[in-house]
Amino acid sequence: MGKNRKKVQVVVLLLALLLGGYAIVQSFTSNDSGLVKEGQQVPEFRLANLQGEPVALEDYVGKPVVINFWGTFCEPCIREMPSFERQHEQWKDQGVEILAINLSEDTLTVSNYVKKLGVTYTILRDVNRKTEKRYGIRSYPTTFFVNRDGTLSSVFVGEMKESQIEERISKIVQQ
Amino acid sequence: MLLPVNTKCECGHQNAVGTVLCESCGKPLEKELLESNEPLEMRYDGVARRSQKANPDYLDKIWNFFSSVKIAIYLIIITFVGAMLGTIFPQASTFISSTFDPSVYYAEQYGLPGKIYYFLGLHRTYTSWWFITLLVMIATSLVICSIDRVLPLYRALSKQQIRKHHAFLKRQKATYSTTLAEDEAEWTKQYGQALRKKGYKVFVDESGTALLAEKNRFSRWGPYINHIGLILFLLAVLARSIPGWNVDQYVSIADGDTVPIVGTNYYVKSEGFKIELYENEELPEELKDSGRIKSFKTEVVLYECSANCNDDFEQPTLTEVHQHTILVNDPLRYKELKLHQFDFNLTPRINAVSPMVVNVQTGESYGPFHLKMVEPELHYEVGPYTLELIDKYMDFAINSEGEPITLSSSPNAPAFIFNIKGPGLAEAGEVFMYFPLEKDKVRFSQDTINRELANKVAIKVEGMENVDFSAATTHLNVRIDKAIKYLWIGAVISMIGLVMGTYWQHRRIWLRIDDQQLTLGAHTNKNWYGLRADIAYALKHCGIELDPKSLDNGGHKG
């Protein structure tokens, strides 16, 4: 009887700890903005670039990645693109990749803008706003700085200054 | 109370630590209790709680914490107060606008209290870590309290001693004693028969002079069944945090579009939103011409993705699984998915036009050619003309620097820039700007922009049949709640337990006769009136008539 009781105690408390612990941990990970949280893995994607070739996030495992969501209709997005271009030039030898995901616009519109702006980093094309929704984007531009292991280092909502971009990229490079 | 004491009763039964009344004969074990004359506390039949132990270790201490009903009540009170705090201002989850920002909203709407509310995280009370922790603790407490009480109680009730101690019988809240003239065994038998008629199960010991009559023991299990239901209910609530178990989001679909429901494997197509107004004949005089809405409905087709679902580079393979006309209160239901009509927008959206190319000088027209708003072809051959699409704007405007821009990605004011080659035009082609919507042609003065080219060539849509548009956009609420059926099962079990414990009472009558001296005691958890009536009924059957009230030994409330 006494031994049995111990077993019941351990099993019940362990179950409470497991189920309860899971529920409590879950409550920490849900958040206000719906954006991916720092330290979490960012969602995978496989999208077409401007040449129509597939580019997946997993192609960049082990590299620091900057994911920028932008649209031609978003003036601050367009304004910050030259800064990203310069930062791309500065960091590309250290393996930093910039993936700029366009918000489901036409090929023609996007390529015209990219040509006009002289952007050389990778432009990707979201479809049906699916990737955007998976990342929980609510306003544009939004930029994710992703560590080499695919976890989120930081996220910035709004137009970025070049110094801010530099600071955040140097963080993910050092990681 | 938990000191190591001799827990062996004079009847020879070895009781567990913490036992109040001997498990066998019912004699009060504590000295003070034995000497007092108050009616006995019969809770759990006086058996020890399972976890009561002389030397609790660390695990026992945690167990004992959750085993305490007092702690459980505090936990429930704290949870109630927490839940009340969550109702002061609206919860953030009730706002569905994508631009809703709680850090701004609460401060703006409610001032300082709102700021504090947001700061404390009360805008998400019911999903906060502390609220979930409280629920988890209550669930743990429910399980442990039940285990600790139901098992000893079950043991105590399944092997009851028939002949009880005098102190036990005399100190019940309903008791009776007298001297009998009849044969002891015969009287006992007769009394038992009378109680059988009242639906009691009657047990007589081997001497034939002690009796236990019992009725509705199952009602004792009511509270525990109720707890099982509550635990299931709580687990179902907690299960909602499993990804995919609880989805509550919105999709907007223009007529004819197919959109993915992000977070699920489904795609949904709107075959058209329709709004129906009441005819004037159907309305009373004062409401005529007021545009009363009779129904909103969306014809939808639901698809499930069967391949390339998480790969946006490839086209997903969709399989139609369901069709439904969604009305208010008549959502589409497919497995756990529900799509409710939520809102609509009657602003039409242009999808494509099929214009003619007109040679203005000769008046001849060619075409039509099909021009889509989204991902249009870049090259068109129309009669003698060749059109090369060189740029396009969905929502055309001129910014502060005088440059053409697009304000959004919706075709609110589409504009196309073509390089046209053809008769009477320059060899390398001439740039022509085309606004498909008539209002934009005027607003942005298409003819002025195109200058002399406007006198040579025109692009014109003839008739509405050459315009493809979506008349409306429907907004649907997507709901998945996999936990709901478990909530229901939990609620039903809980209700069964509640009814069991509420509408039936466990009644027991013990008696013993020693040397013609009858001692009778009886216990129930409620409705003492009914119990006393049962005792008196059976006594009357044996020739003793008395007022049921005289059986009352005091000390109870019903």
Side-chain angles (χ1 to χ4, degrees):
Chain A
M1 184 64 225
K3 268 201 177 148
N4 228 345
R5 176 169 69 191
K6 204 90 212 165
K7 250 186 238 162
V8 172
Q9 282 189 348
V10 171
V11 168
V12 170
L13 287 176
L14 215 62
L15 269 178
L17 199 70
L18 279 177
L19 289 173
Y22 175 78
I24 294 164
V25 168
Q26 278 289 320
S27 74
F28 276 109
T29 54
S30 65
N31 59 37
D32 274 350
S33 55
L35 284 176
V36 181
K37 264 205 156 183
E38 283 169 24
Q40 279 186 339
Q41 286 284 331
V42 296
E44 275 296 330
F45 54 77
R46 186 162 175 262
L47 299 168
N49 64 12
L50 283 180
Q51 289 72 46
E53 300 147 355
V55 174
L57 183 59
E58 59 185 4
D59 300 344
Y60 299 101
V61 171
K63 285 184 175 180
V65 177
V66 178
I67 304 170
N68 171 252
F69 286 86
W70 71 287
T72 65
F73 52 87
C74 151
E75 282 195 76
C77 302
I78 300 298
R79 275 202 301 270
E80 68 177 6
M81 285 181 101
S83 308
F84 276 108
E85 179 59 29
R86 281 191 295 274
Q87 286 298 310
H88 180 234
E89 282 299 317
Q90 184 182 327
W91 293 101
K92 70 178 176 194
D93 294 341
Q94 304 198 40
V96 177
E97 283 292 337
I98 298 183
L99 307 177
I101 301 182
N102 175 266
L103 300 159
S104 312
E105 290 183 286
D106 281 7
T107 315
L108 179 68
T109 313
V110 177
S111 7
N112 279 347
Y113 255 92
V114 170
K115 238 180 269 161
K116 198 164 93 184
L117 294 163
V119 168
T120 60
Y121 51 80
T122 311
I123 304 287
L124 300 177
R125 318 282 314 288
D126 195 6
V127 182
N128 263 328
R129 324 186 80 156
K130 271 165 80 179
T131 312
E132 175 190 339
K133 281 182 184 159
R134 253 183 248 139
Y135 273 74
I137 308 289
R138 285 195 159 182
S139 60
Y140 319 124
T142 299
T143 310
F144 296 85
F145 295 84
V146 184
N147 292 321
R148 291 173 196 272
D149 61 358
T151 56
L152 183 66
S153 165
S154 60
V155 55
F156 192 98
V157 180
E159 186 180 342
M160 294 189 83
K161 285 191 211 123
E162 196 167 342
S163 58
Q164 291 172 317
I165 302 172
E166 185 165 18
E167 184 194 322
R168 283 166 193 248
I169 291 183
S170 62
K171 224 175 129 189
I172 53 172
V173 167
Q174 280 157 25
Q175 250 271 326
Chain B
M1 195 166 101
L2 294 181
L3 290 173
V5 286
N6 182 10
T7 52
K8 193 163 180 163
C9 177
E10 63 180 35
C11 70
H13 183 80
Q14 180 63 55
N15 292 296
V17 176
T19 307
V20 183
L21 305 174
C22 172
E23 287 167 3
S24 178
C25 71
K27 184 189 170 207
L29 292 177
E30 285 162 57
K31 205 155 173 263
E32 296 148 60
L33 192 64
L34 184 60
E35 282 159 4
S36 145
N37 231 346
E38 291 289 299
L40 293 171
E41 172 57 66
M42 285 289 288
R43 196 164 44 183
Y44 312 119
D45 268 28
V47 293
R49 261 198 275 146
R50 199 177 128 81
S51 60
Q52 283 177 325
K53 238 178 119 177
N55 296 306
D57 61 17
Y58 199 66
L59 200 66
D60 291 322
K61 280 182 183 159
I62 300 174
W63 185 270
N64 288 348
F65 173 80
F66 285 112
S67 175
S68 157
V69 169
K70 199 162 87 184
I71 297 285
I73 291 169
Y74 285 139
L75 285 174
I76 291 168
I77 291 172
I78 296 169
T79 309
F80 278 168
V81 171
M84 279 153 74
L85 290 176
T87 64
I88 296 175
F89 296 137
Q91 291 284 294
S93 58
T94 56
F95 296 91
I96 57 167
S97 152
S98 64
T99 54
F100 173 75
D101 183 357
S103 60
V104 179
Y105 173 83
Y106 288 95
E108 257 179 20
Q109 193 75 15
Y110 306 106
L112 186 63
K115 228 178 203 167
I116 297 169
Y117 200 74
Y118 175 75
F119 178 74
L120 293 177
L122 291 172
H123 65 297
R124 283 189 192 278
T125 300
Y126 307 111
T127 48
S128 65
W129 65 268
W130 58 267
F131 195 79
I132 301 284
T133 305
L134 280 169
L135 291 184
V136 168
M137 287 176 82
I138 289 177
T140 311
S141 161
L142 267 172
V143 173
I144 293 179
C145 281
S146 300
I147 291 178
D148 259 11
R149 287 168 178 78
V150 75
L151 294 179
L153 183 66
Y154 177 78
R155 255 185 297 122
L157 291 181
S158 51
K159 48 165 189 157
Q160 295 183 75
Q161 170 87 0
I162 296 169
R163 186 176 290 271
K164 289 288 184 185
H165 195 272
H166 276 109
F168 177 84
L169 295 175
K170 282 190 178 151
R171 286 174 62 190
Q172 291 301 322
K173 288 169 193 169
T175 181
Y176 177 68
S177 50
T178 189
T179 313
L180 297 172
E182 296 92 334
D183 176 65
E184 291 176 0
E186 186 55 35
W187 193 93
T188 309
K189 207 174 144 194
Q190 227 184 330
Y191 193 77
Q193 268 166 3
L195 284 176
R196 268 197 198 96
K197 268 191 207 154
K198 283 277 173 190
Y200 283 79
K201 276 187 190 140
V202 177
F203 308 92
V204 179
D205 78 349
E206 59 274 16
S207 70
T209 57
L211 172 146
L212 161 63
E214 188 179 18
K215 190 177 175 178
N216 298 340
R217 188 198 285 179
F218 74 92
S219 78
R220 294 294 286 269
W221 315 126
Y224 305 102
I225 291 171
N226 172 264
H227 282 178
I228 291 170
L230 289 180
I231 291 160
L232 199 61
F233 194 96
L234 276 172
L235 284 176
V237 170
L238 296 178
R240 282 186 160 165
S241 63
I242 300 171
W245 271 57
N246 188 28
V247 174
D248 184 359
Q249 57 178 28
Y250 299 85
V251 285
S252 301
I253 323 164
D255 292 358
D257 277 12
T258 304
V259 301
I261 302 174
V262 174
T264 72
N265 211 17
Y266 296 111
Y267 281 70
V268 58
K269 178 182 183 185
S270 165
E271 306 233 284
F273 171 82
K274 279 179 200 73
I275 186 166
E276 202 184 330
L277 301 178
Y278 279 105
E279 298 292 331
N280 267 341
E281 302 86 78
E282 295 174 276
L283 290 171
E285 198 56 46
E286 60 272 26
L287 291 178
K288 287 207 192 303
D289 297 315
S290 60
R292 295 277 147 169
I293 288 160
K294 194 171 184 178
S295 71
F296 316 104
K297 61 179 172 191
T298 309
E299 311 257 352
V300 294
V301 183
L302 187 71
Y303 298 94
E304 202 163 1
C305 178
S306 51
N308 300 332
C309 303
N310 287 314
D311 185 342
D312 295 312
F313 180 72
E314 310 280 349
Q315 277 290 321
T317 312
L318 302 183
T319 320
E320 184 180 322
V321 289
H322 196 60
Q323 281 199 24
H324 189 71
T325 303
I326 298 174
L327 296 164
V328 174
N329 293 334
D330 181 14
L332 172 146
R333 289 169 206 268
Y334 181 74
K335 294 184 182 163
E336 280 111 357
L337 178 80
K338 283 202 273 179
L339 296 177
H340 295 266
Q341 186 68 52
F342 176 72
D343 200 0
F344 63 92
N345 182 350
L346 291 177
T347 313
R349 190 196 66 183
I350 184 163
N351 295 327
V353 286
S354 301
M356 308 289 286
V357 181
V358 182
N359 184 332
V360 177
Q361 271 137 11
T362 64
E364 281 172 286
S365 64
Y366 309 94
F369 68 100
H370 190 69
L371 181 62
K372 289 189 295 179
M373 296 300 124
V374 176
E375 293 288 357
E377 300 285 329
L378 300 182
H379 187 86
Y380 303 88
E381 301 277 351
V382 189
Y385 294 100
T386 309
L387 286 78
E388 208 73 52
L389 183 62
I390 52 176
D391 210 351
K392 127 175 205 279
Y393 300 88
M394 289 294 256
D395 196 349
F396 186 80
I398 303 286
N399 72 3
S400 50
E401 281 136 46
E403 286 171 12
I405 52 158
T406 182
L407 295 177
S408 71
S409 53
S410 315
N412 297 331
F416 294 84
I417 300 172
F418 291 106
N419 185 39
I420 305 186
K421 292 177 191 167
L425 302 176
E427 190 71 16
E430 294 183 43
V431 176
F432 185 91
M433 187 146 191
Y434 172 58
F435 293 93
L437 297 178
E438 209 54 45
K439 63 172 173 69
D440 299 328
K441 273 190 188 111
V442 180
R443 185 154 65 114
F444 298 111
S445 358
Q446 180 180 314
D447 288 348
T448 318
I449 295 172
N450 289 329
R451 282 176 275 181
E452 58 267 33
L453 188 56
N455 300 322
K456 295 182 198 161
V457 70
I459 299 178
K460 260 191 199 146
V461 175
E462 286 166 356
M464 280 310 282
E465 69 275 12
N466 291 314
V467 181
D468 172 12
F469 66 98
S470 299
T473 300
T474 188
H475 300 287
L476 302 177
N477 181 202
V478 181
R479 297 296 294 264
I480 294 176
D481 196 346
K482 291 190 184 175
I484 200 90
K485 58 172 177 265
Y486 301 104
L487 284 180
W488 273 108
I489 295 170
V492 168
I493 292 175
S494 154
M495 191 49 78
I496 290 171
L498 206 62
V499 168
M500 271 170 68
T502 308
Y503 290 99
W504 285 275
Q505 310 97 39
H506 182 211
R507 294 178 184 175
R508 273 176 299 169
I509 301 168
W510 299 271
L511 68 82
R512 64 187 286 176
I513 307 171
D514 312 86
D515 303 328
Q516 300 302 115
Q517 184 64 37
L518 164 75
T519 314
L520 183 149
H523 180 73
T524 182
N525 49 337
K526 58 176 163 288
N527 191 3
W528 290 85
Y529 178 87
L531 176 66
R532 287 194 300 264
D534 285 351
I535 300 169
Y537 166 84
L539 283 175
K540 191 179 164 194
H541 192 78
C542 298
I544 303 172
E545 233 173 297
L546 48 71
D547 177 8
K549 261 197 176 159
S550 66
L551 296 166
D552 190 357
N553 190 25
H556 58 77
K557 299 176 192 107

